[in-house]
């Protein structure tokens, strides 16, 4: 993965925003700040564009993604792990698979602070697989190597939390059936993921 060189940030309470040239500088400004948003970029222009567009995690730029279903998890809003499943334009699809009452105003599902980000990625992958089979879509994309290259290929250690292990087995089974039917699961850069909710350090 390309190393980020610019870190855009916004702290709403103090109305502070800008671009830091290293993570240490950015972290000092956003750590512990309620509502702070931040994201790493490979160019200053990308960072400036994100800030100009409102510093929204849902705003994606640059690469035109392939048609398919995209998934991600993140903790950027500071309320715990939240998951995102979208189409290639970044439009949320979660309402097609879980109740709207379980979605926030951004169309994302807040899993909560008691789970890990990896669990969130795995749950998002499960929903992406279910949606793809239901919609007859053949391509799924995510940016987690752990989920795509290991956990959903039956490669998971039994010493993880029992609920994580059970979800990994279920999701691996869904993936196996999806791929048997001609489906493909691809790993992409977080910076190119329309579903992206995370910060790539």
């Amino acid at each position: 993965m390309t190393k980020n060189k610019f870190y855009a940030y916004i702290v709403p309470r103090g109305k502070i925003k800008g671009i830091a040239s290293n993570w240490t500088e950015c972290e000092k400004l956003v750590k512990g700040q309620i509502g702070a948003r931040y994201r790493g970029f490979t160019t200053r222009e990308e960072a400036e564009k994100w800030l100009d567009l409102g510093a929204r995690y849902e705003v994606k730029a640059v690469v035109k993604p392939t048609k398919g279903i995209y998934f991600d998890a993140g903790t950027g809003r500071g309320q715990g792990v939240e998951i995102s499943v979208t189409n290639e334009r970044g439009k949320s699809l979660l309402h097609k698979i879980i109740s709207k009452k379980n979605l926030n105003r951004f169309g994302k599902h807040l899993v909560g602070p008691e789970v890990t980000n990896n669990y969130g990625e795995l749950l998002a992958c499960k929903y992406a697989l279910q949606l793809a089979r239901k919609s007859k879509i053949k391509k799924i994309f995510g940016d987690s190597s752990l989920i795509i290259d290991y956990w959903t290929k039956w490669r998971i250690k039994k010493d993880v939390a029992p609920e994580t292990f059970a979800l990994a087995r279920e999701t691996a089974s869904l993936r196996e059936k999806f791929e048997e039917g001609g489906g493909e699961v691809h790993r992409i850069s977080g910076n190119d993921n329309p579903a992206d909710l995370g910060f790539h350090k």
Side-chain angles (χ1 to χ4, degrees):
M1 186 182 287
T2 306
K3 187 176 180 182
N4 294 308
K5 296 179 181 176
F6 301 94
Y7 304 87
Y9 60 87
I10 184 167
V11 182
R13 283 198 171 174
K15 298 183 179 176
I16 301 167
K17 70 176 182 176
I19 299 168
S21 59
N22 60 69
W23 168 237
T24 304
E25 180 186 343
C26 180
E27 184 180 32
K28 286 178 185 174
L29 295 163
V30 300
K31 190 173 182 178
Q33 297 293 327
I34 296 171
R37 295 187 300 277
Y38 47 91
R39 176 175 270 167
F41 295 92
T42 54
T43 69
R44 178 172 283 279
E45 291 73 26
E46 289 173 323
E48 288 171 352
K49 184 171 184 180
W50 186 68
L51 285 174
D52 290 343
L53 292 172
R56 293 185 1 249
Y57 287 117
E58 295 78 19
V59 172
K60 294 305 292 178
V62 241
V63 179
K64 184 178 179 184
T66 303
K67 183 176 172 72
I69 295 178
Y70 293 75
F71 70 91
D72 193 36
T75 58
R77 285 186 243 275
Q79 299 175 328
V81 175
E82 158 178 5
I83 64 171
S84 171
V85 179
T86 75
N87 65 14
E88 65 279 2
R89 295 183 308 277
K91 182 177 179 186
S92 181
L93 301 174
L94 279 169
H95 65 281
K96 295 184 176 188
I97 204 78
I98 61 176
S99 171
K100 285 186 180 179
K101 69 180 181 180
N102 293 322
L103 303 178
N104 63 21
R105 65 187 178 102
F106 305 103
K108 313 304 179 191
H109 174 53
L110 180 63
V111 186
E114 64 282 347
V115 300
T116 65
N117 196 67
N118 289 331
Y119 180 91
E121 292 271 5
L122 185 59
L123 183 60
C125 183
K126 172 190 163 181
Y127 289 147
L129 285 160
Q130 290 174 332
L131 274 164
R133 292 190 73 199
K134 182 178 175 181
S135 308
K136 296 184 171 51
I137 291 172
K138 295 295 184 183
K139 292 190 176 181
I140 292 174
F141 303 88
D143 56 48
S144 171
S145 174
L146 179 67
I147 302 308
I148 293 172
D149 299 333
Y150 296 94
W151 286 8
T152 61
K153 287 187 172 182
W154 301 99
R155 298 177 190 153
I156 184 169
K157 294 179 180 177
K158 290 186 178 179
D159 63 353
V160 298
E163 61 274 9
T164 301
F165 188 77
L167 180 59
R169 288 184 60 87
E170 179 187 4
T171 308
S173 179
L174 286 169
R175 178 176 179 174
E176 192 171 70
K177 290 172 187 166
F178 176 65
E179 291 179 332
E180 283 171 0
E184 301 172 10
V185 180
H186 298 277
R187 187 163 61 88
I188 58 172
S189 162
N191 289 326
D192 297 330
N193 187 351
D196 185 52
L197 284 170
F199 170 68
H200 303 284
K201 184 176 162 188

